[in-house]
């Protein structure tokens, strides 16, 4: 859990969100029985993935963007990439 916490701190996740997320993961990981096909470490990874999916939104949402829009994808420490929408790219 320490590694997960450190990774989220490095990603500049709000501490309240981080603490709530880690607590939910801890509760689920301790409460679930380990599937026979998974190791305990793999089970924790599955729980973390499920919780991240729930936190970010499990349902796909269609974006209603104007024809000319800029989408910015930001990574760790703000290293982002700027891409034009698919309709305006050259083939």
């Amino acid at each position: 859990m320490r590694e997960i916490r450190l990774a989220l701190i490095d990603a500049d996740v709000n501490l309240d969100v981080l603490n709530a997320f880690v607590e939910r993961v801890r509760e689920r990981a301790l409460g679930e029985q380990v599937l026979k096909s998974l190791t305990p470490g793999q089970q924790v990874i599955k729980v973390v993935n499920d919780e991240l999916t729930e936190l970010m939104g499990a349902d796909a949402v269609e974006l209603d963007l104007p024809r000319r829009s800029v989408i910015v994808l930001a990574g760790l420490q703000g290293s982002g990439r700027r891409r034009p929408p698919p309709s305006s790219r050259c083939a």
Side-chain angles (χ1 to χ4, degrees), residues 8 13-22 24 55:
L8 293 173
V13 174
N14 178 288
L15 286 178
D16 292 335
V17 173
L18 182 143
N19 290 332
F21 175 80
V22 169
R24 282 194 314 273
L55 180 69

Side-chain angles (χ1 to χ4, degrees), residues 21-77:
F21 175 80
V22 169
E23 186 59 33
R24 282 194 314 273
V25 168
R26 181 178 288 124
E27 287 173 4
R28 279 194 57 194
L30 293 175
E32 288 190 13
Q33 291 191 359
V34 178
L35 300 174
K36 292 180 181 172
S37 62
L38 299 177
T39 66
Q42 291 170 327
Q43 187 73 18
V44 170
I45 290 170
K46 179 191 177 309
V47 171
V48 169
N49 184 43
D50 292 346
E51 284 296 323
L52 282 173
T53 301
E54 184 66 31
L55 180 69
M56 299 302 289
D59 298 328
V61 177
E62 191 68 35
L63 296 176
D64 184 23
L65 299 173
R67 183 170 169 355
R68 302 283 296 168
S69 298
V70 175
I71 299 173
V72 178
L73 305 175
L76 292 177
Q77 289 82 37

